[in-house]
Amino acid sequence: MAVLEIMKYPNPVLKTKAVPVKEVDSELQSLINDMAETMYASSAIGLAAPQVGKLIRVAVIDVTPMLEDKNLIVLINPRIVEKEGETILEEGCLSIPDYREKVKRWARVKVETLDQEGKKREIEGEGLLAIAIQHETDHLDGMLIIDRISSLKRNIFKKTMKKQLLAKDQP
Ligand code: ZN
């Protein structure tokens, strides 16, 4: 297993819609293992394939990454089929370091997905799990948390990022 490099904003790969997986094979399983390793190494609760530069509809989630017993959830070609309620939580993203913002989400979702063995599964989540599922499926559609906030906040974010990126380019 290996810890993979994480693509950071404004890398265009993060804005691109990922394509469905055609076959759950050993190559994909090994990518999933590496993605899980990368997520745990960053103490994150989720990671989507586009964040490691792979434009396929795959994500890993574990809402209790610090626990000894791992509760890894693998999403392959996930589809949210039910959603209800409303919840707001401050979210962060490995692809946007040092940034957190409140995002409004469905409070409960049901997702249809394949698991790591390629079997069809349904996963229902509420609270943090529901939020993680929506955050990661957003990544598969090229959406980041900054696409889920008000345009005013987004403009402030973009200005701040521009300044930081310019400052980085200075000798
Ligand atoms: Zn993210």
Side-chain angles (χ1 to χ4, degrees), residues 51 92-94 135-136 139:
Q51 292 181 279
C93 180
L94 289 177
H135 181 118
E136 300 315 325
H139 272 300

Side-chain angles (χ1 to χ4, degrees), residues 89-115:
L89 190 80
E90 205 176 65
E91 295 181 28
C93 180
L94 289 177
S95 295
I96 314 175
D98 306 321
Y99 180 75
R100 301 188 71 79
E101 189 51 79
K102 283 185 184 143
V103 182
K104 189 158 88 173
R105 305 275 189 190
W106 301 103
R108 190 191 73 85
V109 295
K110 188 200 266 185
V111 68
E112 278 181 8
T113 181
L114 300 178
D115 67 14

Side-chain angles (χ1 to χ4, degrees), residues 3-121:
V3 172
L4 306 168
E5 191 197 346
I6 293 169
M7 307 293 132
K8 306 274 164 61
Y9 177 92
N11 190 316
V13 78
L14 297 168
K15 296 289 284 175
T16 311
K17 204 173 149 93
V19 299
V21 167
K22 289 203 185 77
E23 198 187 347
V24 180
D25 54 13
S26 59
E27 196 185 331
L28 181 69
Q29 277 157 353
S30 118
L31 171 70
I32 289 167
N33 290 337
D34 288 347
M35 284 173 59
E37 182 86 356
T38 306
M39 171 178 73
Y40 289 124
S42 322
S43 301
I45 64 168
L47 182 72
Q51 292 181 279
V52 293
K54 308 275 185 201
L55 280 169
I56 51 173
R57 303 186 76 80
V58 173
V60 291
I61 291 173
D62 188 340
V63 291
T64 53
M66 310 307 267
L67 289 187
E68 204 62 44
D69 290 324
K70 299 302 178 208
N71 295 299
L72 181 67
I73 294 172
V74 175
L75 300 178
I76 302 173
N77 301 342
R79 213 161 53 89
I80 293 173
V81 290
E82 276 178 31
K83 49 200 178 186
E84 64 176 28
E86 190 183 300
T87 185
I88 296 176
L89 190 80
E90 205 176 65
E91 295 181 28
C93 180
L94 289 177
S95 295
I96 314 175
D98 306 321
Y99 180 75
R100 301 188 71 79
E101 189 51 79
K102 283 185 184 143
V103 182
K104 189 158 88 173
R105 305 275 189 190
W106 301 103
R108 190 191 73 85
V109 295
K110 188 200 266 185
V111 68
E112 278 181 8
T113 181
L114 300 178
D115 67 14
Q116 199 167 352
E117 274 72 52
K119 284 200 206 98
K120 264 194 190 165
R121 285 191 56 183

